[in-house]
Amino acid sequence: MSSSPAPVPAPAPAQPYGRPPLRTVQVLGGAGADSSAHVRSLTTGLAARGVRVTVCAPVEAEGEYDFTGAGAQFAPDAVSAMRAVCAGADVVHAHGVRAAARALLALRGRRVPLVVTWAGGGPGADGSLGRLGRLLERHVARAAAVVLGSSSAQVDLARARGARDVRLARHAVPAAPGGRAEAADPGKTRAELGAVGRPLVIAVGSLVPHRGYSLLLDAARAWRGLDPAPLVVIAGEGPMRAELAGRIEAEGLPVRLLGRRRDAARLLAAADVAVLPSRWEARSLLAQEALRAGVPLVATEVGGVPELIGEAGVLVPYGDPDALSAAVAALLADPARRRDLSDAGRAQAATWPSEDDTVAQILSVYDELTHRR
């Protein structure tokens, strides 16, 4: 009796010109949603093209974003572990200035090109912390082979810090897996949040000072007088939780802190208005998700936000709670305006690069750098 042949594994994608697979290390300096989602998307696209990817990140980021499930090897972001994986890399790509600083320590003495995505990069702290931050930015900018900025504001800042080669690279926001946000029942979501018979306003992001949540609470004081008063929900976690919770209770504000949520896209799809009150944003994940979902957006006119949303949202000055409050109240009172912004948001989102576009642009940078060597 003949035995059946052993299964033959699927071949890896062919490499151009018979070269060995490109080896990249992606370095994350934290578990921030914007950078982590971008690296997960980038890893998926690179691995599908035959690139060998290792992601160095906090362990909690691997648990949240499953980089290994996207086709990468995973290593913790300790410098000793990074040094070992960077030894065999053709290109190291750091996402953020702090990640880049750690990558430079791991690369010390090695001639491996470093690509830096200039995540963040807004106005820094005052005093000695601000000076140290600017020194770190200058060190990273000058050491990088290529700096990628997701907005013109980031490109300008990296160039001002001394970067030799700075390029605009607007990365795509990954689609919600399986369209779950679109398939969810908004009425059920609103009932779960306690927003039945009243408007729902949402903000998403870590509870840190630059997100502007103190400003949002200032604006929410005025909304107590609306009939019905909107419910404001903030999905995110961070060091400002106790301070914000204290204010909400002491001032009787119609605001709920939801903590870190894995279903932020589902919450957003149920909202009447999304709010982005930040002191600085480059290419805001919330803004991208809101416009793509057709949720009217009120955002501060900072960083890369105006360039990102164009005429598809309402912009207000940072630091002006009266302007923020009035803009949200006006939208809640005007369903036709909200419908117009919903349509405009989806149209604006259609102009942004796709995930394939993003991967192709970054892979072309890697190819260029490896051909220089």
Side-chain angles (χ1 to χ4, degrees), residues 32 66 72 86 115 159 167 169 186 205 215 254 268 270 300 319 352 373:
D66 187 21
C86 288
V115 177
R159 189 170 287 125
R167 308 179 191 186
L215 176 73
L268 185 63
T300 44
W352 298 334
R373 298 174 67 187

Side-chain angles (χ1 to χ4, degrees), residues 32 78-79 147 182 218 287 299 320:
V79 171
V147 175
E182 292 79 356
D218 291 341
D320 188 341

Side-chain angles (χ1 to χ4, degrees), residues 111-172:
R111 296 176 60 84
V112 178
L114 175 66
V115 177
V116 178
T117 291
W118 199 269
D126 296 327
S128 58
L129 287 177
R131 288 192 294 273
L132 286 173
R134 289 187 288 276
L135 284 172
L136 183 62
E137 288 176 351
R138 283 196 287 271
H139 174 59
V140 165
R142 293 169 181 174
V146 174
V147 175
L148 304 175
S150 62
S151 70
S152 297
Q154 286 184 316
V155 168
D156 291 343
L157 180 58
R159 189 170 287 125
R161 293 291 188 260
R164 296 168 292 165
D165 186 340
V166 192
R167 308 179 191 186
L168 186 62
R170 298 186 177 98
H171 56 255

Side-chain angles (χ1 to χ4, degrees), residues 341-357:
L341 285 177
S342 178
D343 293 340
R346 289 191 173 99
Q348 178 73 1
T351 70
W352 298 334
S354 68
E355 292 182 77
D356 282 345
D357 294 334

Side-chain angles (χ1 to χ4, degrees), residues 102-260:
R102 296 174 69 80
L104 286 171
L105 289 175
L107 287 171
R108 184 174 293 170
R110 294 191 170 97
R111 296 176 60 84
V112 178
L114 175 66
V115 177
V116 178
T117 291
W118 199 269
D126 296 327
S128 58
L129 287 177
R131 288 192 294 273
L132 286 173
R134 289 187 288 276
L135 284 172
L136 183 62
E137 288 176 351
R138 283 196 287 271
H139 174 59
V140 165
R142 293 169 181 174
V146 174
V147 175
L148 304 175
S150 62
S151 70
S152 297
Q154 286 184 316
V155 168
D156 291 343
L157 180 58
R159 189 170 287 125
R161 293 291 188 260
R164 296 168 292 165
D165 186 340
V166 192
R167 308 179 191 186
L168 186 62
R170 298 186 177 98
H171 56 255
V173 59
R180 288 196 297 265
E182 292 79 356
D185 180 357
K188 182 179 178 181
T189 302
R190 293 170 73 96
E192 291 171 358
L193 295 172
V196 176
R198 63 192 299 196
L200 178 63
V201 176
I202 188 170
V204 180
S206 54
L207 307 184
V208 293
H210 88 268
R211 294 291 184 190
Y213 291 133
S214 295
L215 176 73
L216 179 58
L217 296 194
D218 291 341
R221 282 201 296 261
W223 300 333
R224 293 176 300 187
L226 299 179
D227 185 20
L231 174 65
V232 183
V233 296
I234 302 174
E237 194 54 83
M240 289 188 68
R241 168 175 272 277
E243 176 187 334
L244 296 174
R247 279 195 60 188
I248 290 166
E249 182 177 1
E251 300 175 30
L253 300 177
V255 180
R256 284 187 60 191
L257 301 178
L258 302 181
R260 186 171 177 82

